[in-house]
Amino acid sequence: MTKFRNNPLDDEVLRIRVVLAAMLVTLCLLAAALWRIQVSRGAQYESNQMKQSVRSVRLPGIRGRMFDRNGDVLADNRPSYCVALYLEELRQAGAWSRTVDKVEATLGQLADMLGTPSTLTRDDIRAHIRRRLPLPLIAWRDLDDETLARFAEKAMGMPGVGIDIDVVRFYPSRKTACHTLGYVGRADPAQEEDEESYHYYLPEMIGRSGLEKSLDEELRGEAGGRILRVDVSGYPRGEVGHREPKD
C-alpha cells in the first residue's frame, strides 16, 4: 500500500490564500468603518466637533440714561478703563503652573510700572484658567487718568497686556436726589433666563433701589454676544461671530 504525502508547495499556497482572505476581510471592515464615520455620520461628528471648539460669551446690554424734565442727565454710563491680561499670549509650554508663574511675573512688572499693587493672588489666576480661560484676566479696574497715563508710557506694547473698557453707572449730579434715583449692581447670572445658553456670562447692571429698580425693565438694554474659537487647551484662537449689545 502506497502512502501519499502532502505537497509542501500546496500547503504554502493555502496559507497565502488564507492570509490574503483575512487581509481582504480586514480592508472591507476598515472601508465600512471609514464610510460610516466620514459619510454616514460625518455631519454629526462635524457638528459635535464644532460645539467643542467654540465658546459663546454673553455681553451685557447698555443701560439706558435718565433725564429730568429739563433734559439734564440724571443717570448715565461712562467708560471704565481696565488693565487686562490675555493668557493666550502668556501661555507657557508644559504644566499649567508655568503659565501661572508667567502671569504672576507679568503682574509684578505691571505693579512696578503703574505704582499700584495687584490684588490678584495665585489662586485667582488658577481659578480664571479653570473657569474663564478664553476671556481676558482683568488685573486693575477703573484706572484714573494718572495711572492710565503711566500705563500708556511704560506698559503699552507689553506682550499679553492691554486695555479693556468696561461700562459703569455714573450720576452727574452726584448726591442730588440719590435716594430717589437709587443705585445699580451686577446681575446674578443664576437668575438670568438665557444664562444657560452661553458658556460665559458677563453680568450686566441691574437696579437695586429707587428709580433704577422700579424702572429696571425699561432701562435694561439688549444683550449681545461673541462666539470664540478655542484650541484643544481652551485658549481663544479667533472670533467666529459677534453681536453688539444695544441700548
Side-chain angles (χ1 to χ4, degrees), residues 135-206:
L135 304 183
L137 172 62
I138 304 300
W140 284 270
R141 295 183 179 275
D142 207 11
L143 301 183
D144 57 32
D145 292 340
E146 183 179 347
T147 307
L148 192 61
R150 281 199 296 267
F151 179 89
E153 179 183 355
K154 300 179 179 180
M156 189 68 74
M158 280 184 64
V161 177
I163 292 293
D164 188 81
I165 302 178
D166 195 8
V167 176
V168 297
R169 201 62 164 162
F170 171 60
Y171 301 97
S173 56
R174 297 186 181 274
K175 294 183 179 181
T176 303
C178 61
H179 295 294
T180 302
L181 294 175
Y183 65 94
V184 298
R186 290 296 178 179
D188 182 2
Q191 298 178 357
E192 294 296 316
E193 295 180 356
D194 60 349
E195 187 269 338
E196 293 184 356
S197 62
Y198 293 89
H199 292 97
Y200 301 102
Y201 178 97
L202 299 182
E204 59 192 333
M205 291 179 283
I206 183 174

Side-chain angles (χ1 to χ4, degrees), residues 58-65 76-78 167-169 186 204-205 216-224 244-247:
R58 184 187 189 278
L59 302 177
I62 303 173
R63 195 168 181 82
R65 297 185 293 172
D76 201 352
N77 306 309
R78 67 170 177 82
V167 176
V168 297
R169 201 62 164 162
R186 290 296 178 179
E204 59 192 333
M205 291 179 283
D216 190 63
E217 290 292 333
E218 290 79 7
L219 291 171
R220 278 205 194 195
E222 181 181 336
E244 288 289 344
K246 298 180 180 180
D247 293 333

Side-chain angles (χ1 to χ4, degrees), residues 7 9 45 48 50-51 60 62 69 72 95 97 106 108 131 142 144 156 162 164 167 187-188 210 216 218-219 232 246:
N7 190 334
L9 183 60
Y45 290 138
N48 291 338
M50 179 62 69
K51 290 179 181 178
I62 303 173
R69 63 182 178 179
D72 295 326
S97 58
T106 302
R131 302 171 187 171
D142 207 11
D144 57 32
M156 189 68 74
D164 188 81
V167 176
D188 182 2
D216 190 63
E218 290 79 7
L219 291 171
V232 68
K246 298 180 180 180

Side-chain angles (χ1 to χ4, degrees), residues 53-90:
S53 62
V54 299
R55 296 292 182 269
S56 57
V57 182
R58 184 187 189 278
L59 302 177
I62 303 173
R63 195 168 181 82
R65 297 185 293 172
M66 288 195 287
F67 301 85
D68 65 10
R69 63 182 178 179
N70 297 319
D72 295 326
V73 179
L74 298 176
D76 201 352
N77 306 309
R78 67 170 177 82
S80 170
Y81 296 94
C82 310
V83 176
L85 272 63
Y86 301 93
L87 303 194
E88 65 272 16
E89 298 181 31
L90 298 175

Side-chain angles (χ1 to χ4, degrees), residues 59-135:
L59 302 177
I62 303 173
R63 195 168 181 82
R65 297 185 293 172
M66 288 195 287
F67 301 85
D68 65 10
R69 63 182 178 179
N70 297 319
D72 295 326
V73 179
L74 298 176
D76 201 352
N77 306 309
R78 67 170 177 82
S80 170
Y81 296 94
C82 310
V83 176
L85 272 63
Y86 301 93
L87 303 194
E88 65 272 16
E89 298 181 31
L90 298 175
R91 66 192 296 184
Q92 302 293 304
W96 284 108
S97 58
R98 298 188 61 188
T99 298
V100 175
D101 291 340
K102 178 65 176 179
V103 174
E104 205 170 30
T106 302
L107 287 173
Q109 294 175 5
L110 286 170
D112 292 338
M113 293 176 181
L114 301 179
T116 304
S118 172
T119 59
L120 292 179
T121 66
R122 193 174 180 87
D123 288 339
D124 293 331
I125 300 171
R126 290 197 190 99
H128 182 87
I129 289 176
R130 287 196 308 269
R131 302 171 187 171
R132 299 162 67 89
L133 183 59
L135 304 183

